[in-house]
Amino acid sequence: MTLELAYTSNDFVAFLQSIEPTETFLIDQLAGGLVNVTVRATRQTASPPSSSPFASYPTFILKQAPPFVAAVGPSAPFTAYRQIVEVRALRLLETYKDHLVKQTGTEVRVPKVLYHDEEKHVLAITDLGLDLLTIDKWLLSVTDEELVDNVAKNLGMFMATVNTIPATNAELDSLDNPDSRTLIQREVVDKTGSYLRRFNVPEDKATLLSTLIAEDFGVRTQEVFSVGDFWVGSVLVNPTGTNIAVVDWEFAGRGRALQDMAQFCAYFNMGADSPNRMSQFVIALNTAYGERSGGIYDSETIRSAWILHGREVLNVAAEGDEKSEEERTAIADIALGYLETASQSSINQEDLAKEKILQPLWASGLLC
């Protein structure tokens, strides 16, 4: 059996011309996506057949799902079923669009499915904007504090509403993908022991904390509809902050309450090295989330959020190639603070009160 390869630009052109034989397209590779090959297709001619699923779109996004993590290669296998999950998640979000807009009072955008070739593992979705930046790059480009607060508020309300979508068990069951959990286990959870040792954590403590992370990963309580892999690459914003998009839903499905936010906030918890705008953004984001969601969680859910957050901060420290060794070590120390505190059977109120990044997620509610 021949191993399916990651698509090149020529492969995408050939795919499109099998649907629109008379058309020509410009293909631009997009940065940010890790598990898929993602490109923007720009129409160069203007006479598509009316039967084409993207005839009325001058630009659109194509995602090919090879049977491995595209950014790594065949050494990191990952079945293309993830693309079926993304299609179902995007259609579920379309079903609940009125609920999302009504609850948030604003519309953070998600892509719409235009076409899905299940055999070739290629998905065509709407292009949400030519001038979009990932949220971390956007924050480094803006100086208007009111704009930062506004984007944070809109995104926080949107995510709180996403995590409380009244999806049925059947809808959530349709998104279940054991391959996604296997990938996260292999590529993230199982590496935490080596990451801890890399930062000179003593062997007994590294074993204790890596076991804590592994055990927490297996816990399935207070489950909600979740993005599943929510990080800075998931959020795109235009320069004026008027176009906010959440993309890449291939890990969507059941997840623990606070999972999305605990993971996302890890990319902003850099301690003293965090730019002021990033600190401002994450506090405003989580405050809006907490207020919209009601912020009512049991103590075990909050402890789990600390563990997951610590795990992801540790991952940022270990994988952050653009950072100096001193910066990495400082970030790893932050991760250790969360993990060591959460290694106790419960987190005491004093520690909860001192923590400033995650605390706004539940500060407006009560522990149940």
Side-chain angles (χ1 to χ4, degrees):
M1 182 177 179
T2 303
L3 176 67
E4 183 182 344
L5 300 177
Y7 266 30
T8 66
S9 294
N10 289 338
D11 292 322
F12 281 111
V13 169
F15 170 81
L16 290 171
Q17 291 185 333
S18 71
I19 300 170
E20 297 187 6
T22 64
E23 295 296 280
T24 57
F25 297 89
L26 177 67
I27 301 296
D28 292 308
Q29 187 93 25
L30 298 181
L34 299 177
V35 300
N36 303 304
V37 182
T38 306
V39 301
R40 171 178 287 112
T42 302
R43 189 181 299 282
Q44 300 296 286
T45 48
S47 54
S50 59
S51 59
S52 168
F54 25 78
S56 60
Y57 295 89
T59 69
F60 47 93
I61 304 300
L62 295 171
K63 302 177 74 172
Q64 183 242 355
F68 47 80
V69 176
V72 179
S75 63
F78 191 19
T79 69
Y81 186 73
R82 64 187 184 269
Q83 193 167 81
I84 293 175
V85 170
E86 178 160 30
V87 169
R88 290 173 178 172
L90 291 176
R91 287 175 174 161
L92 185 148
L93 289 163
E94 183 67 20
T95 298
Y96 288 100
K97 180 179 178 180
D98 290 345
H99 169 80
L100 290 168
V101 174
K102 180 180 179 181
Q103 292 297 314
T104 61
T106 186
E107 185 175 356
V108 173
R109 303 170 71 200
V110 298
K112 292 182 181 179
V113 176
L114 299 178
Y115 181 73
H116 181 216
D117 189 320
E118 195 169 329
E119 182 177 334
K120 295 180 179 177
H121 313 305
V122 177
L123 170 64
I125 55 178
T126 50
D127 186 351
L128 299 181
L130 300 176
D131 59 348
L132 299 177
L133 299 172
T134 56
I135 187 65
D136 54 333
K137 291 182 172 61
W138 182 80
L139 284 167
L140 294 175
S141 72
V142 296
T143 57
D144 187 334
E145 293 185 1
E146 185 176 348
L147 181 58
V148 170
D149 279 341
N150 189 57
V151 168
K153 179 181 178 181
N154 287 337
L155 180 61
M157 289 192 298
F158 174 78
M159 286 304 301
T161 307
V162 164
N163 289 158
T164 54
I165 280 177
T168 65
N169 283 330
E171 287 171 328
L172 293 175
D173 287 345
S174 75
L175 302 173
D176 187 47
N177 184 8
D179 292 329
S180 291
R181 289 188 61 80
T182 298
L183 178 74
I184 296 170
Q185 177 88 48
R186 184 183 70 235
E187 299 298 326
V188 181
V189 176
D190 289 349
K191 293 182 178 180
T192 55
S194 62
Y195 288 166
L196 289 163
R197 295 177 186 95
R198 181 208 184 287
F199 292 106
N200 300 315
V201 175
E203 181 63 32
D204 57 343
K205 183 179 290 186
T207 299
L208 171 69
L209 297 181
S210 60
T211 300
L212 173 75
I213 289 168
E215 290 176 346
D216 178 72
F217 183 67
V219 173
R220 308 292 291 271
T221 59
Q222 270 196 269
E223 290 184 315
V224 299
F225 174 68
S226 166
V227 178
D229 183 29
F230 192 45
W231 67 301
V232 290
S234 306
V235 179
L236 306 176
V237 187
N238 72 338
T240 59
T242 54
N243 183 10
I244 308 168
V246 176
V247 298
D248 296 339
W249 294 80
E250 52 268 285
F251 288 86
R254 283 190 175 90
R256 287 167 293 170
L258 300 178
Q259 170 183 314
D260 286 337
M261 303 308 287
Q263 178 185 4
F264 185 73
C265 292
Y267 296 88
F268 302 93
N269 197 348
M270 304 295 107
D273 291 327
S274 294
N276 288 337
R277 285 187 302 282
M278 291 195 174
S279 299
Q280 173 195 350
F281 170 81
V282 77
I283 297 301
L285 169 81
N286 287 349
T287 299
Y289 184 101
E291 290 174 351
R292 173 62 63 186
S293 69
I296 302 177
Y297 306 100
D298 60 40
S299 59
E300 192 55 35
T301 296
I302 292 176
R303 177 173 177 263
S304 180
W306 274 54
I307 296 170
L308 191 150
H309 184 70
R311 183 194 85 191
E312 290 298 312
V313 173
L314 177 65
N315 190 56
V316 170
E319 300 290 339
D321 293 337
E322 76 287 356
K323 300 183 184 301
S324 68
E325 188 63 24
E326 183 179 358
E327 290 172 325
R328 287 184 176 200
T329 300
I331 294 168
D333 285 343
I334 294 171
L336 281 173
Y338 282 90
L339 294 171
E340 289 176 340
T341 301
S343 68
Q344 308 302 314
S345 58
S346 63
I347 303 173
N348 64 51
Q349 291 297 322
E350 183 179 350
D351 287 326
L352 286 174
K354 287 190 297 185
E355 197 276 340
K356 301 302 181 186
I357 298 294
L358 300 180
Q359 193 220 24
L361 293 169
W362 52 78
S364 61
L366 299 170
L367 293 181
C368 62

